[in-house]
Amino acid sequence: QPSAVVRRWSMAMVFKDVIWKPSDYIATGSNDGTVMIWDPNRLNDSIVRKYHELSRSINRLTHKPDDPFFIYAAFSDTHLLGWDVRVHNSHSSFRIEMPRAPQDISCNPIDSNAIAAISSEGQISLWDIRKPNRFVKQFHAHSAYNGQCLTWHPKGRFIASGASDQTIKIWDISSANSSKFNITPFCSIHTVAVTTNRLQWRPGHDTQISSSAFSQDSRLQVWDMRNPNHSIMYHDLHSSPIGGFVWVDEDTVWSTSRAPQHANESNIVQCNMQTDAVITAGLVGSTSVDFSSSHQIAIATGAFHPRAELELPPALPRRQGASALDSSGTGK
């Protein structure tokens, strides 16, 4: 079991997010609006770049799918900024001012020009970075002041969103560029935890998504869109709420939580979800019971049958240079 810390840096600030993979640099975002780029291979002078254009807290960091050295930062004052960490320039090369402060952002893995954001008011907005003056589409996803997190599906068809309303919602945005875009969620997952704070799709399983929560629920849960009524597996190896997690492969996940007895330290857990987790899939069948007026009982039971396999719609023809979100080029 790994126990050694390879590198540790202490700063007089509170870090709100960190990203590493797939570039060689570590990027951190803090509560005072500072983005710092670190080289983990340096013993001294580990900070390579420092960006401080805005003084509001950073809610989330992410990288551009086709360029791991280009990072985005979502600020709590409605701004989304971007930098190329290889360029010796302290000013951002990309800027969007959103209608509402983004709580979380996620890029489309198959279209590097498309980015999605969720606001605390519960609205999801879809953007084409080549047209930063106006969103491509915006819709109300969760109750007011409840939006928390979102993540784009690896194949680009779905966006999952989490909130403080005990729901995780999956949205089919394959028709987002159409005037007939249906804003009804593809499926809704009802959670025990009030607030979902992190979402990630499980690698190698197109219909499965994992979540953690800000609450007394310290489990990392995995859900399947084909049967959203309950999680299919979970691990409860933390004693306090999970602050973040990342999948190494389709079975191995690393998660972290604050140590209950030490406010400045964290517990890190490596879990193999096939061997160390609680598998719940198939345990809950379709069973119902009722009594008659003559005190007789009727029980109906059946086997667990998930929904049919999801099939992606055929790809629409796109002209060269068009975004997957806005092939019409109107931005409306």
Side-chain angles (χ1 to χ4, degrees):
Q1 300 237 347
S3 60
V5 176
V6 179
R7 296 282 188 275
R8 172 173 286 185
W9 300 287
S10 297
M11 302 292 294
M13 61 180 64
V14 177
F15 292 124
K16 299 297 293 291
D17 201 13
V18 60
I19 55 174
W20 188 351
K21 189 179 179 179
S23 74
D24 295 330
Y25 296 106
I26 297 173
T28 57
S30 67
N31 63 335
D32 69 349
T34 302
V35 175
M36 290 189 288
I37 310 301
W38 308 72
D39 185 346
N41 297 313
R42 295 185 185 181
L43 294 177
N44 300 307
D45 298 324
S46 301
I47 300 176
V48 179
R49 305 273 188 278
K50 183 183 289 187
Y51 310 110
H52 190 73
E53 293 187 45
L54 303 172
S55 58
R56 297 298 297 271
S57 176
I58 293 172
N59 289 334
R60 194 71 83 221
L61 297 172
T62 192
H63 63 84
K64 196 176 181 183
D66 62 347
D67 186 355
F69 294 98
F70 195 93
I71 62 171
Y72 296 107
F75 290 79
S76 58
D77 68 347
T78 74
H79 282 92
L80 173 65
L81 304 185
W83 300 268
D84 188 328
V85 301
R86 296 164 296 187
V87 178
H88 294 268
N89 190 338
S90 60
H91 296 287
S92 59
S93 60
F94 174 80
R95 179 184 291 251
I96 287 178
E97 187 168 356
M98 298 185 170
R100 296 169 179 83
Q103 289 290 104
D104 197 2
I105 53 175
S106 183
C107 295
N108 187 340
I110 64 170
D111 182 358
S112 61
N113 293 315
I115 190 167
I118 187 170
S119 70
S120 59
E121 287 83 358
Q123 289 188 321
I124 292 178
S125 56
L126 309 178
W127 297 79
D128 186 331
I129 63 173
R130 298 166 299 183
K131 304 170 185 176
N133 295 325
R134 178 171 174 77
F135 52 80
V136 173
K137 192 73 66 174
Q138 182 171 271
F139 58 94
H140 198 77
H142 296 273
S143 303
Y145 305 104
N146 278 322
Q148 292 291 334
C149 56
L150 85 170
T151 183
W152 215 308
H153 191 277
K155 293 185 177 179
R157 175 180 173 182
F158 298 105
I159 286 179
S161 61
S164 301
D165 57 2
Q166 292 187 291
T167 62
I168 298 169
K169 295 182 180 180
I170 313 295
W171 307 89
D172 185 348
I173 60 160
S174 57
S175 60
N177 62 324
S178 169
S179 59
K180 298 180 180 180
F181 176 54
N182 186 0
I183 60 173
T184 303
F186 180 84
C187 72
S188 294
I189 296 168
H190 296 277
T191 64
V192 173
V194 174
T195 303
T196 299
N197 70 322
R198 292 276 184 165
L199 291 168
Q200 281 194 28
W201 296 95
R202 184 185 178 193
H205 298 266
D206 288 344
T207 63
Q208 296 181 16
I209 189 165
S210 52
S211 68
S212 63
F214 277 145
S215 69
Q216 69 278 8
D217 189 350
S218 59
R219 295 175 296 173
L220 188 149
Q221 301 197 72
V222 179
W223 312 82
D224 196 312
M225 291 193 297
R226 297 170 299 177
N227 190 60
N229 299 316
H230 61 86
S231 62
I232 62 170
M233 64 178 72
Y234 67 86
H235 88 61
D236 54 0
L237 303 179
H238 289 276
S239 56
S240 57
I242 295 172
F245 64 91
V246 61
W247 288 90
V248 180
D249 53 42
E250 64 177 312
D251 294 327
T252 308
V253 60
W254 287 65
S255 52
T256 181
S257 64
R258 178 167 292 181
Q261 306 301 325
H262 304 280
N264 294 325
E265 295 186 6
S266 298
N267 292 325
I268 300 175
V269 171
Q270 175 184 304
C271 178
N272 186 307
M273 297 297 286
Q274 291 296 332
T275 60
D276 303 328
V278 178
I279 308 298
T280 60
L283 297 181
V284 180
S286 53
T287 302
S288 184
V289 61
D290 199 8
F291 285 95
S292 71
S293 57
S294 58
H295 305 291
Q296 294 177 315
I297 187 172
I299 300 175
T301 184
F304 170 82
H305 294 293
R307 296 183 188 179
E309 291 292 335
L310 299 175
E311 295 183 2
L312 297 180
L316 297 175
R318 293 164 49 196
R319 70 174 187 272
Q320 188 175 4
S323 167
L325 290 181
D326 187 15
S327 61
S328 65
T330 62
K332 297 182 180 179

